[in-house]
Amino acid sequence: MVAIDGKHFAKIHSLTNSTYFVVQDPQNFKDVATHWAKDIVNEMASRKVINGVGDDLFNPNLEITRAEFAAIIVRGLGLKLESGTTSFADVKVSDWYNDAVQTAYSYKLINGFEDGAFHPTDKITREQAMSIIAKAMVITDLKTKLPAKEASELLSIYTDANEASDWAKSGIADSLQAGIITGRSGNVLAPQAFITRAEVAAIIQRLLQQSDLI
């Protein structure tokens, strides 16, 4: 909110030109009441970036799929959904995530596998998520604010950095340097580990905060 001449206005940061409505939808999921991500999850849900699973539950420790992550990053960035057939053989127009995947692909946020598939129901790994976050940082101009550093330098403090795929190292480094993703514990990066719904909520919040979108 900003005050101008005694009147209060909602200040909206956006990557696209559209018509906006200010919606307040406070959330208070029962199963995050004592969780480390309680405030983060409830805030991101109130902003319609993430959704619950029904019955006032969020299921914070459930690992997330590639399709779900694509949908969350598209909602978080406020990208206008694009419809139609994607370039992935395993994503159908009738799938609930088709438009989100199509939009993420159009904005060059996601790639498929060598077999031409997206594998939407596979659980997403930390390195895959970091790669997508790094691409989102380009869209939000956050990438341009980072000082130039070699990926090897940023990854050198992690004892398991050699487990990261070569194609992912640049994106991992950008995500780490921006402070959007940290090691899972101390100097352990865990690039091949899966990522939970609570962790994704925290990652998206940091991306939006660091990009001055919230």
Side-chain angles (χ1 to χ4, degrees):
M1 281 291 197
V2 294
I4 302 176
D5 296 331
K7 297 180 180 180
H8 288 84
F9 299 86
K11 186 176 183 180
I12 297 174
H13 300 269
S14 174
L15 301 174
T16 59
N17 294 318
S18 303
T19 300
Y20 302 96
F21 298 91
V22 179
V23 177
Q24 185 178 17
D25 185 22
Q27 297 291 326
N28 190 20
F29 295 113
K30 292 184 292 187
D31 58 348
V32 298
T34 59
H35 197 279
W36 64 265
K38 171 187 174 182
D39 293 339
I40 296 169
V41 167
N42 288 331
E43 181 193 359
M44 289 295 97
S46 71
R47 293 178 179 274
K48 301 295 187 183
V49 175
I50 58 177
N51 299 319
V53 296
D55 297 324
D56 294 326
L57 299 175
F58 181 70
N59 210 347
N61 298 320
L62 182 69
E63 292 163 344
I64 204 163
T65 68
R66 288 169 51 80
E68 289 169 334
F69 192 85
I72 289 172
I73 194 71
V74 166
R75 287 197 298 267
L77 295 177
L79 304 178
K80 184 178 179 180
L81 287 176
E82 300 182 11
S83 58
T85 304
T86 68
S87 299
F88 304 117
D90 57 349
V91 178
K92 303 174 184 176
V93 174
S94 58
D95 291 328
W96 70 263
Y97 45 78
N98 176 72
D99 291 356
V101 170
Q102 171 70 4
T103 304
Y105 181 74
S106 177
Y107 277 87
K108 296 180 172 57
L109 289 166
I110 60 174
N111 295 313
F113 290 82
E114 292 181 358
D115 61 359
F118 180 64
H119 297 226
T121 59
D122 285 0
K123 294 175 182 178
I124 195 167
T125 63
R126 282 170 54 84
E127 71 173 11
Q128 290 171 354
M130 285 187 264
S131 178
I132 294 172
I133 289 296
K135 293 171 184 174
M137 287 167 53
V138 175
I139 294 176
T140 67
D141 287 332
L142 178 56
K143 165 72 172 174
T144 62
K145 300 176 184 178
L146 299 179
K149 277 191 176 182
E150 292 292 330
S152 57
E153 177 185 352
L154 292 162
L155 294 175
S156 63
I157 66 172
Y158 297 99
T159 58
D160 59 345
N162 62 323
E163 296 178 12
S165 302
D166 288 339
W167 60 262
K169 288 180 179 178
S170 176
I172 292 172
D174 287 347
S175 298
L176 292 170
Q177 188 178 7
I180 295 173
I181 295 182
T182 60
R184 178 152 272 183
S185 61
N187 60 349
V188 176
L189 184 61
Q192 303 300 332
F194 298 129
I195 196 164
T196 68
R197 287 167 55 80
E199 289 174 325
V200 169
I203 288 168
I204 298 301
Q205 184 194 59
R206 292 188 204 116
L207 170 66
L208 299 181
Q209 288 174 337
Q210 300 283 52
S211 300
D212 294 326
L213 291 173
I214 60 173

